[in-house]
Amino acid sequence: MARTTSARKTSTAKTTAKKPPKSPRTRNPTPPLSLAKPRLDRRPHPWMTDLQGYATLAALIAGITTPHIRDWHDHHDGTTTRRLDDGSHLHYTAATRTLRWHTPCPMGAVHEYTLRTPADTEAAQADANTCQQPHWTPPPADTGQHLTARLHTASKAAADTQPLTLADITNGLEARADNDQPKGHPQP
């Protein structure tokens, strides 16, 4: 009986030792080797920048609620802007701590207002909505004389900025050398 027991153990051991070979499809490909070590930035990214927080607070103080703080675009130069639903823009400058509102008026121009309080905001909205002033200037009545004077000034300025030839430079230096006299040292 001992033989059958040992035979069973070896045959069982042989069957468990044999595993079917893995097909090439199931193998995990090895990543290419690289000498550069990847840098993982494990620092937490801020949910908002300080400037976005300051701008949101300035708008709230001026009576404008901007619930989405991340809608402020931080330019990383001390300024941030936010577009409002009506097409106007808010601009906040950290250096001067000013909140400015740029809004189009019915006449087509863009007005700028500095907002500090809710009263400033209400006055700016009323002013922008009721603007009836045309924002273009008519040409002057003496268009012919004015245009002639501007063209004369422009042509004179253009002539003064033309490049000099080598002969002009040489003549200028010679004329200057003829008129220059040696100067003495100042007396103490």
Side-chain angles (χ1 to χ4, degrees):
M1 286 208 176
R3 271 188 188 179
T4 56
T5 313
S6 63
R8 283 187 194 165
K9 288 182 183 176
T10 55
S11 65
T12 329
K14 288 181 183 178
T15 56
T16 55
K18 292 183 180 178
K19 292 185 180 176
K22 290 186 178 179
S23 67
R25 292 184 204 156
T26 59
R27 290 184 187 168
N28 292 333
T30 57
L33 294 177
S34 172
L35 297 177
K37 195 173 189 180
R39 292 184 71 185
L40 299 175
D41 188 10
R42 298 194 187 270
R43 293 177 292 174
H45 295 287
W47 180 75
M48 67 177 203
T49 64
D50 289 341
L51 195 56
Q52 288 172 325
Y54 298 148
T56 302
L57 182 60
L60 189 59
I61 290 171
I64 301 170
T65 304
T66 56
H68 304 289
I69 295 174
R70 296 290 302 247
D71 286 346
W72 287 92
H73 178 69
D74 189 347
H75 299 285
H76 302 289
D77 62 353
T79 63
T80 183
T81 57
R82 184 183 196 290
R83 186 174 188 272
L84 298 176
D85 293 335
D86 62 355
S88 61
H89 290 81
L90 290 173
H91 299 276
Y92 180 75
T93 306
T96 57
R97 296 183 183 165
T98 56
L99 179 68
R100 293 174 292 132
W101 181 47
H102 290 215
T103 185
C105 75
M107 300 302 286
V110 176
H111 291 261
E112 179 180 324
Y113 301 96
T114 302
L115 306 177
R116 292 183 185 88
T117 64
D120 291 343
T121 304
E122 290 174 13
Q125 285 175 338
D127 184 56
N129 292 337
T130 59
C131 179
Q132 296 298 319
Q133 176 184 358
H135 294 284
W136 56 274
T137 56
D142 61 344
T143 307
Q145 293 174 352
H146 182 68
L147 183 58
T148 305
R150 288 187 62 196
L151 286 174
H152 178 67
T153 304
S155 64
K156 186 174 187 291
D160 290 343
T161 60
Q162 296 301 316
L164 296 174
T165 64
L166 186 57
D168 291 339
I169 295 172
T170 305
N171 292 339
L173 289 174
E174 288 174 359
R176 187 195 276 167
D178 291 343
N179 295 335
D180 283 347
Q181 298 297 323
K183 295 183 170 87
H185 291 287
Q187 298 300 322

